[in-house]
Amino acid sequence: MSNKATPRDPLGLLRHYWGYDNFRPMQHEIITSVLDGHDTLGLLPTGGGKSLTFQVPALALDGLTIVITPLISLMKDQVDNLARVGIKATCLHSGLTRAEYKTGLERCRYGKVRLLYISPEKLQSESFIAEMRTLQVSLIVVDEAHCISQWGYDFRPSYLEIAAVRKLFPDAPLLALTATATPEVVDDIMARLEFRGRNVFSMSFARDNLSYIVRYAEVKEQKLLQILQNTSGCSIVYTRSRRRTREIADLLRAAGISADFYHAGLDPDQKSERQTRWKNNEVRVMVATNAFGMGIDKPDVRLVVHYDIPPSIEEYYQEAGRAGRDGRPAFAVVIAARTDKGLLTRRLAEAFPPKDYIRRVYELVGNFLNVAVGSGFEKLYAFDFAKFCMLFNLREAPTRSALTLLTRAGYIEYSDETETRSRVMVTLDKQELYDLRLDAVSDRVLQMLLRTYTGLFSDFQYISEPMLSRTLMIDQQQVYEALLTLARERAIVYVPRRSTPYILYTTSRELPRYVELPLAVYEHQRARMEARLEAVKRYVFSRTDCRQAMMLEYFGQKDAEDCGRCDVCRSRAVAARPISEIEAKIIEMVGVQRSMPASVICRWAGGDADEVMAVIRSLADRGRLRLTGVMVSAAD
């Protein structure tokens, strides 16, 4: 069969650009619906291949495909990945320079790219909307579509502008995509995006190869080591703290387990290097915050451990779903302690600090950035969050939440995505470059740029100053100064890497007393978060219901069958069996001693301590033993 793609041949495009022979489940149905001009909602689990459902139609349709996504780092990754397979794409977001923004828009206007990725906040700019009118748009894509729903776990007010954008391109179908959505969120997405008819494609949330496990431990470090020592293969350990990622990685390395750590505060080169080493199996375990994983398509992850309990079933399902994408057996494990219930309750208070506190943070931000009342509209400011908190003696967690709520209320746009890599574009033609009179170091750096990076004359390209330094065998400072020299000579436009968050004022600065937090932003969202936390507590601390069935019920799948693989189902299976030899021996041991620590029994039994504990709990459930804390006693 020929690999040549015809304009309306999705399978041919898939083979030609990506080298796959067939689509994954549900991909072809979604693509066909889009190409037939229908508004479409696709619910595909993490690793289900959402990106191809709009990238293939973008090539099959004439004109431009606009992709609205809140994740700036994911935009960059997708643009880079498309470039590698020969597809031209660009992205526009608030972190770009004016020159980058202008260049990207011109490429869209003149048909030099097929996909344009934008952040939803761009839709709040009247000047950007005016620029959009000049584009020929054939498809609108809304990624992370749950963000438009006030019933969802990550509501973003800027998403509400998308429906208005549709009116600019009435003939363009809309494709909304998300990995997780409850039934009410599904209905809300279609209503807010003004679907022209109900049209949902959904895969089951069940994962037949993934075993969901909860392990209870007061000393989580020991339990984590035990889990990793009793399993094999590539693993991810998720925690909620940047500091803890380093501490746990050090703990694992000290125990002889290959590990590294990852969080949003690392510089771009560190992130790229660590991610690459993990993907190449040079590092077995990545200890990370939730900054790790978006856009990573590594199929052979055998284990995902949540050291800290996630704040919602949606987030847990997405993160746990990064295990076993190759269809082989894999495990998703939560390590829980009794104190975690209280931590979840405190998390609610931190996510919704008092309104007066939020107004105070708003006022202090304006003072910190030196923005006068009545000014600042559509201006972007670098924002050193750590310095801000230190200067005003503010706790980080409620302060970050205050900034998030102010973003949702429409007063600012706060972004703590710190990965902004260095970029360069050449602005002179080759003859003009030849005529430049440069010092020796600047000339060497320029020649290395031209030999190493393609496309510099037409668009901004990401560069690595450390790589240039190593290749040229000169200091990074010399590379940096040479790039600045080239920029002063107007040979290039150079945007150095930046590692600080930013704040964009989406309205002029107000006096604090005029800052309103509507019910939909504060009270309603707080109640929904409380309900999500209760669902997490039930999932983690229930010992009677199948873990997967609880998740399927949460996502609206009624009468879900028990999976037979989770720890609860396994315990039931043990309890249903006739009394075994090991059970008889445990009863005999406890009968002689009358009472003994469970750890002693586990050591005596050998093998998997968790399986032995499952036997002990089963005997206790059937009244054959008593289990009090860590002590096992004979039944009366």
Side-chain angles (χ1 to χ4, degrees), residues 42-252:
L43 299 177
L44 293 177
T46 299
K50 288 189 298 175
S51 299
L52 284 179
T53 64
F54 61 82
Q55 290 171 351
V56 170
L59 297 174
L61 295 166
D62 294 327
L64 182 71
T65 292
I66 292 180
V67 184
I68 301 164
T69 176
L71 301 165
I72 294 174
S73 57
L74 193 55
M75 283 187 205
K76 298 172 185 173
D77 288 343
Q78 293 213 4
V79 170
D80 290 345
N81 291 338
L82 288 168
R84 278 192 281 271
V85 298
I87 300 170
K88 294 181 179 179
T90 192
C91 58
L92 298 177
H93 54 81
S94 301
L96 299 178
T97 65
R98 188 181 299 274
E100 287 178 297
Y101 177 84
K102 181 180 178 182
T103 300
L105 207 53
E106 285 180 352
R107 294 180 69 212
C108 295
R109 191 176 293 119
Y110 295 118
K112 295 183 179 179
V113 298
R114 302 305 298 267
L115 294 102
L116 167 62
Y117 289 80
I118 64 172
S119 59
E121 288 76 18
K122 297 298 297 178
L123 304 179
Q124 296 176 313
S125 166
E126 292 183 7
S127 60
F128 179 71
I129 296 298
E131 294 279 8
M132 285 185 70
R133 296 178 189 275
T134 67
L135 305 178
Q136 182 187 349
V137 175
S138 57
L139 173 63
I140 300 171
V141 180
V142 183
D143 198 12
E144 308 296 333
H146 58 269
C147 294
I148 200 171
S149 173
Q150 295 187 38
W151 298 98
Y153 71 96
D154 194 19
F155 170 62
R156 304 197 180 201
S158 52
Y159 264 68
L160 298 175
E161 304 294 330
I162 298 173
V165 173
R166 295 203 63 183
K167 295 179 173 59
L168 301 179
F169 312 104
D171 297 329
L174 185 142
L175 171 60
L177 295 165
T178 184
T180 52
T182 61
E184 61 184 357
V185 170
V186 167
D187 292 339
D188 204 24
I189 289 171
M190 289 188 290
R192 292 185 178 277
L193 291 175
E194 299 181 2
F195 267 46
R196 292 173 284 209
R198 183 179 179 84
N199 189 28
V200 183
F201 292 87
S202 176
M203 287 181 61
S204 171
F205 289 95
R207 290 283 304 276
D208 293 337
N209 67 311
L210 189 56
S211 299
Y212 295 101
I213 309 290
V214 176
R215 294 299 184 217
Y216 304 100
E218 297 310 309
V219 183
K220 290 191 176 187
E221 293 88 348
Q222 292 179 5
K223 181 61 67 175
L224 176 63
L225 286 172
Q226 180 189 12
I227 291 167
L228 288 168
Q229 288 164 347
N230 289 335
T231 57
S232 61
C234 183
S235 307
I236 305 173
V237 176
Y238 279 112
T239 181
R240 304 285 297 177
S241 162
R242 293 182 182 182
R243 174 179 53 81
R244 197 173 290 148
T245 61
R246 180 192 295 272
E247 293 173 349
I248 294 175
D250 289 343
L251 171 75
L252 298 182

Side-chain angles (χ1 to χ4, degrees), residues 397-460:
T399 302
R400 187 174 282 110
S401 297
L403 294 171
T404 300
L405 290 165
L406 288 166
T407 297
R408 290 178 177 176
Y411 290 97
I412 61 171
E413 175 201 330
Y414 168 67
S415 174
D416 60 359
E417 289 191 57
T418 59
E419 184 171 348
T420 54
R421 293 156 57 192
S422 300
R423 292 96 77 190
V424 163
M425 183 174 72
V426 175
T427 52
L428 299 180
D429 61 34
K430 292 182 180 179
Q431 182 58 46
E432 289 172 320
L433 288 176
Y434 181 78
D435 293 337
L436 278 175
R437 293 185 178 182
L438 299 170
D439 62 84
V441 174
S442 298
D443 186 62
R444 290 178 65 200
V445 169
L446 175 60
Q447 297 306 319
M448 184 57 65
L449 282 174
L450 296 175
R451 286 198 300 268
T452 307
Y453 301 100
T454 59
L456 285 168
F457 289 91
S458 59
D459 197 5
F460 283 88

Side-chain angles (χ1 to χ4, degrees), residues 3 48 74 131 186 200 231 249 266 292 298 327 350 363 372 380 591-592:
N3 278 345
L74 193 55
E131 294 279 8
V186 167
V200 183
T231 57
L266 299 175
F292 184 75
K298 183 169 172 58
E350 289 180 342
E363 181 179 27
L380 186 70
V592 171

